Amino acid sequence: ADILVERLLLHKSTRQLIRINATRRHEYETVLAREYSRFDEELQCYVIPPLSEILSCEIVVSTCVMAGELLSLGVSDEHFTHIFFDEASQAMESETMVPLALTNNLTSVILTGDYKQLGPVTHSKLAQTDRFKMSLLERLMSREPYSSLKSDCVTLLIRNYRSHEALLTLPSQLFYENALYAESDEKTTHSLTSWEMLPNQNDFPILFYGVIGRDVSEPDSSSFFNPIEIAKILELIQHLLRSKSLKVKISDIGVIAPYRKQVLKTRVLLRHHNLADISVGSVDDYQGEERRIIIISTTVSKKREFLFANQSRGLLENEKRFNVAITRAKALLVIIGNPYVLKQYPKWNKLLEYSIQNKAYGGVDCDEFYGIDKADSGDLAGGAAVDMASFVRQIEKKSVLGAAAFDRIYPTVPAMSDETPWRIML
């Protein structure tokens, strides 16, 4: 809502626009708060503007829930000619019902968003069972007359202003009926096609790097991490930053991982190498975000059905999370993972095939890739398999400060307490 307000203020004055804030919201959360909201200096909190002030404004910006305050003030269902829902796919249907109470049969209601990406966050299993995890937008798009993207009731935004065309081709095929095309600034999107680590140097900025690691967990956590993939992330980042011709900045790079432990361990390693400003997060953290370079660590090296018992079903099995992950990059997409495991998931298999067909695959040998139906990385023979104990010993030898230096480096960071068992320092 705040981003919308800031952009609207480029075209409207503060007299024409007002933002409804919750009273519990902190003033420092937005720079422009007092300019477009009602803030009580005496109470030091936001307050709901009077009815007369709301009715005098052309545009009212609110969250779905806070729109209920307008009903309490007495705003009639005849006041608004249009109601726009931004990111409607992320709101529970029950939430969207609140502002819809301000409509009548003459009100135009526009739902904007991508129902093929992340939906509402619901932690309650009962709520999930009762379909609270489905947005109104997604439900409508599964029914006539909205079910076809070519319907007169649906407007598909087909111009993509973010990504290189090679990064857009696969998601366009898999999710948007081949309708998307790139209209981004080539100075940005084509700026990394000459990176020497790319197997395909012919204007194809994708690297799928196959590794055979092991996803491990710690006794106090059910989350997983993959040390070999983390080490590869660091190696690729350092290679990108060392290149003088590419002019890569730390702020250009983002890392996506499916498990919280993988996120935390990656942050620790990058911090130790003075790369703490690189953004590392889950798919949820990157919804709506973008970076010039995105590195995806798939983490899992063995298919475990019990890992995906919750609502999200992980990055691998959830098509919406897959769609978000592969569409965050502007100029370069790097995927690190076990090809023999990823082949078992339909969308990831498509990404693997796309990479191999376009000569964008590197790493572990997979000449017999299409002949393998099922594989457990722990049972793979030959040079591709990695001995974890040997790997850990090698990493410890390369440590500048030694494996026991963790507490000395991060003594004032309470959040690191659950990361201390992993004491590998490069």
Side-chain angles (χ1 to χ4, degrees):
D2 291 335
I3 294 174
L4 279 176
V5 169
E6 291 179 14
R7 292 179 179 176
L8 285 168
L9 285 174
L10 298 174
H11 309 281
K12 295 288 184 179
S13 70
T14 53
R15 295 179 181 178
Q16 297 171 303
L17 181 149
I18 195 165
R19 164 81 160 98
I20 309 298
N21 276 302
T23 56
R24 64 181 179 277
R25 194 175 189 211
H26 294 292
E27 179 190 8
Y28 58 76
E29 289 184 22
T30 174
V31 177
L32 299 176
R34 297 195 187 191
E35 293 187 39
Y36 57 81
S37 302
R38 177 63 76 91
F39 188 82
D40 191 302
E41 296 288 353
E42 183 178 346
L43 297 175
Q44 285 295 296
C45 68
Y46 288 105
V47 294
I48 306 300
L51 178 61
S52 59
E53 188 174 342
I54 291 174
L55 297 179
S56 67
C57 291
E58 292 183 8
I59 302 174
V60 178
V61 180
S62 168
T63 62
C64 288
V65 174
M66 285 305 296
E69 297 291 343
L70 303 180
L71 290 166
S72 301
L73 287 174
V75 177
S76 73
D77 59 7
E78 298 178 350
H79 178 67
F80 294 107
T81 59
H82 295 75
I83 293 183
F84 292 85
F85 290 84
D86 186 43
E87 297 292 354
S89 62
Q90 296 184 52
M92 289 188 292
E93 187 165 352
S94 55
E95 291 177 314
T96 58
M97 292 296 106
V98 179
L100 287 178
L102 293 164
T103 67
N104 58 28
N105 58 356
L106 298 177
T107 310
S108 296
V109 177
I110 299 93
L111 302 175
T112 66
D114 189 346
Y115 69 99
K116 293 185 180 292
Q117 295 196 357
L118 296 186
V121 177
T122 51
H123 299 288
S124 166
K125 291 184 179 180
L126 179 61
Q128 294 170 25
T129 302
D130 290 338
R131 297 190 298 177
F132 274 76
K133 65 178 180 180
M134 179 181 288
S135 66
L136 174 62
L137 177 61
E138 183 175 2
R139 186 171 67 82
L140 291 177
M141 292 300 292
S142 66
R143 290 166 169 77
E144 295 292 343
Y146 307 99
S147 55
S148 172
L149 295 179
K150 298 178 181 179
S151 167
D152 292 337
C153 299
V154 177
T155 299
L156 179 64
L157 303 180
I158 60 176
R159 294 178 176 85
N160 180 283
Y161 298 98
R162 172 185 293 158
S163 303
H164 186 286
E165 55 266 29
L167 307 181
L168 197 61
T169 299
L170 187 64
S172 181
Q173 291 174 355
L174 295 179
F175 299 104
Y176 305 107
E177 301 179 7
N178 284 312
L180 305 184
Y181 62 91
E183 280 203 1
S184 48
D185 182 4
E186 291 191 1
K187 289 182 179 179
T188 299
T189 59
H190 290 61
S191 61
L192 297 171
T193 55
S194 62
W195 183 38
E196 51 267 36
M197 290 290 288
L198 288 173
N200 186 344
Q201 291 285 313
N202 188 24
D203 194 24
F204 198 85
I206 295 177
L207 168 60
F208 196 115
Y209 197 91
V211 299
I212 306 295
R214 289 185 185 177
D215 47 290
V216 296
S217 61
E218 296 171 339
D220 61 341
S221 174
S222 59
S223 187
F224 287 85
F225 65 98
N226 190 319
I228 292 179
E229 289 193 16
I230 295 173
K232 193 64 188 178
I233 291 170
L234 175 64
E235 177 188 337
L236 293 174
I237 289 175
Q238 290 177 327
H239 194 284
L240 284 163
L241 293 174
R242 280 196 300 265
S243 174
K244 295 181 180 180
S245 60
L246 299 179
K247 298 180 181 179
V248 174
K249 299 181 293 185
I250 286 178
S251 59
D252 291 334
I253 304 172
V255 179
I256 298 176
Y259 297 106
R260 190 63 182 163
K261 279 292 181 183
Q262 185 77 348
V263 169
L264 294 175
K265 305 299 187 185
T266 304
R267 287 176 180 172
V268 170
L269 185 59
L270 294 180
R271 187 181 295 114
H272 182 65
H273 286 266
N274 299 315
L275 298 172
D277 290 337
I278 291 179
S279 174
V280 184
S282 65
V283 179
D284 301 76
D285 297 326
Y286 271 91
Q287 173 79 355
E289 294 289 324
E290 60 184 31
R291 291 291 186 280
R292 186 180 171 205
I293 302 163
I294 286 292
I295 300 174
I296 302 173
S297 171
T298 57
T299 308
V300 176
S301 281
K302 180 183 295 185
K303 188 170 184 179
R304 291 183 173 92
E305 296 298 336
F306 68 87
L307 290 178
F308 309 106
N310 59 15
Q311 166 242 349
S312 69
R313 295 186 66 78
L315 172 62
L316 300 186
E317 291 196 347
N318 188 301
E319 294 184 358
K320 293 182 179 181
R321 292 176 182 275
F322 170 83
N323 188 17
V324 172
I326 67 170
T327 55
R328 300 304 95 194
K330 294 180 181 180
L332 174 65
L333 177 64
V334 178
I335 307 97
I336 303 172
N338 185 325
Y340 300 101
V341 173
L342 296 176
K343 183 184 185 296
Q344 301 174 65
Y345 301 91
K347 291 295 186 288
W348 287 96
N349 184 42
K350 290 289 186 182
L351 179 57
L352 268 169
E353 290 178 354
Y354 181 63
S355 301
I356 292 171
Q357 290 165 3
N358 287 279
K359 297 181 168 60
Y361 179 86
V364 63
D365 182 22
C366 63
D367 290 340
E368 300 179 6
F369 178 81
Y370 292 106
I372 298 176
D373 293 323
K374 293 183 179 180
D376 184 329
S377 63
D379 298 328
L380 289 174
V386 177
D387 180 74
M388 181 61 67
S390 174
F391 173 77
V392 171
R393 287 194 297 270
Q394 291 176 31
I395 296 299
E396 287 177 341
K397 289 180 181 179
K398 293 180 181 180
S399 172
V400 176
L401 298 174
F406 185 94
D407 294 324
R408 184 155 49 84
I409 300 171
Y410 309 116
T412 60
V413 187
M416 295 298 171
S417 59
D418 67 333
E419 300 172 5
T420 53
W422 196 65
R423 294 176 176 271
I424 296 174
M425 302 300 236
L426 294 184

